[in-house]
Amino acid sequence: MGFVNVVYSFSHQVKTNIFAFIAIIRMKTRFRTMRGMKYALLFAGLLSCGLATAQVVGGQSSFEYLNLSNSPHVSALGGISVANPENDISLALQNPAMMRPGLHNQLGLNYNSFYGDIKVMNLQYGYYAPKTQTSFFGGVQYLNYGAFSNTDDLGNVYGDFHAVDYSITLGASRSYLQHWRYGAAVKYASSALYDAKASAVLMDVGINYYDTASLVDFGIVAKNMGGTIKKYNPNNPAEPLPFDLQLGISKRFKHLPLRVYTTLHHLYEWDVQYNNPSDNVGTGLLGSNDTASSKGSFGEKLFRHFIFGAELSLGKRLMVTVSYNDLRRREMVIKTKTGSAGFAFGVALNLNKFQVHYGRSYYHIAGAYNEIGINFALNKLMGLGKTGEKIKWNAEYPDWE
């Protein structure tokens, strides 16, 4: 019966969001102009209400590591980026619809030390198959929490054990009409915490609209739909999975090398405030009062769903990023000192054969999280001879039509 429940849970979430996805696609005629973007945002807001489920926010789901940023570039944009036309393979893991021919044979890799000396590794790769006109991608996420001493209640040591989480993602996307792309990705997630182990199969479904004339990008994605295969404790009900519905829009100015981003997350639930009666702190960007007992104002609840970002291109090679995550700031600041919690910064160096990304995220006054990653254009770095010709290894395709 456990396997049947997993299949039912997975199919129910996928079916619900696929229907929503098809509904958006059918509105294609409304989105062909800038005016149509208003309909997109309105429809997405209604969609988020319709998809509200019994999910929870903030540390109560299993496999929460799936919500971590998968690259320094994404971290610099506040941890989520679902509408970003930049040439970066890591963005395909944020929204599968952003995978496209221009990311063919690009390999992204970063390995960093998170808080508490937790080792974090992310790898992404993209490949375009011209015969099927489909762009494929894959990714690996790995977290090593280190070694721990195995002791009893008297302090006797019986050796060491390790704790590891990882996920494997496979996805694909295709184009639709002139400006649209749609995509999906399947994930296998595993967690091993001493003698407690769990695994799950999840799915992301997304769409992306990018107009090369107006330089507007719009994306929406339903993340982490699925079911648990193995529970940490087989005698307990399965923990909720970290489902999220995210929407983003970005705009680059024609006569200014600046792109601005607005991203919304947790659209399926209105109030994502952590209700801690002991808190009475001015935690907002402008120091506004955020008393948990008062449940917060309408504006506070609204802006907890927002991430704002901007990227400024300095010439053809250098790009500077800054962002603000309101939910992160409100949850991570302390009474005596708010610091820079919620802000993130980044720098990217774009060269012919590879890109170098650096991100610095401020979670808490205890210290910032620094990341560095490299993207390689394998089709420019090396050739595979006749084998490479057969598999289109060295091929280059236009990034956006």
Side-chain angles (χ1 to χ4, degrees), residues 92 95-100 137 172-173 181-184 206-208 400:
N95 181 350
M98 288 195 292
M99 180 59 200
R100 55 195 184 273
F137 67 94
S173 77
R181 296 199 66 85
Y182 60 95
I207 61 172
N208 183 261
W400 293 98

Side-chain angles (χ1 to χ4, degrees), residues 282-297:
T283 60
L285 181 60
L286 302 178
S288 59
N289 188 43
D290 191 23
T291 306
S293 59
S294 68
K295 299 296 184 181
S297 67

Side-chain angles (χ1 to χ4, degrees), residues 10 13 16 23 36 46-47 59 72 91 144 163 170 177 225 297 312 326 350:
F10 183 86
Q13 288 195 36
T16 302
L46 298 174
L47 175 65
L91 299 172
N144 188 337
L170 295 174
L177 297 180
M225 305 173 289
S297 67
L312 177 65
D326 191 74
N350 299 308

Side-chain angles (χ1 to χ4, degrees), residues 76-105:
L77 286 168
I80 303 173
S81 184
V82 300
N84 191 336
E86 294 296 329
N87 188 269
D88 184 354
I89 185 61
S90 70
L91 299 172
L93 275 294
Q94 290 290 302
N95 181 350
M98 288 195 292
M99 180 59 200
R100 55 195 184 273
L103 297 175
H104 172 72
N105 224 353

Side-chain angles (χ1 to χ4, degrees), residues 31 138 363:
F31 301 143
Y363 287 83

Side-chain angles (χ1 to χ4, degrees), residues 210-250:
Y210 182 52
D211 187 350
T212 55
S214 64
L215 301 178
V216 171
D217 194 307
F218 169 82
I220 185 169
V221 58
K223 290 186 176 179
N224 301 324
M225 305 173 289
T228 300
I229 299 176
K230 182 178 181 180
K231 298 180 292 185
Y232 288 107
N233 187 337
N235 298 320
N236 293 339
E239 296 85 359
L241 296 175
F243 170 78
D244 198 4
L245 182 64
Q246 301 167 353
L247 178 150
I249 184 170
S250 67

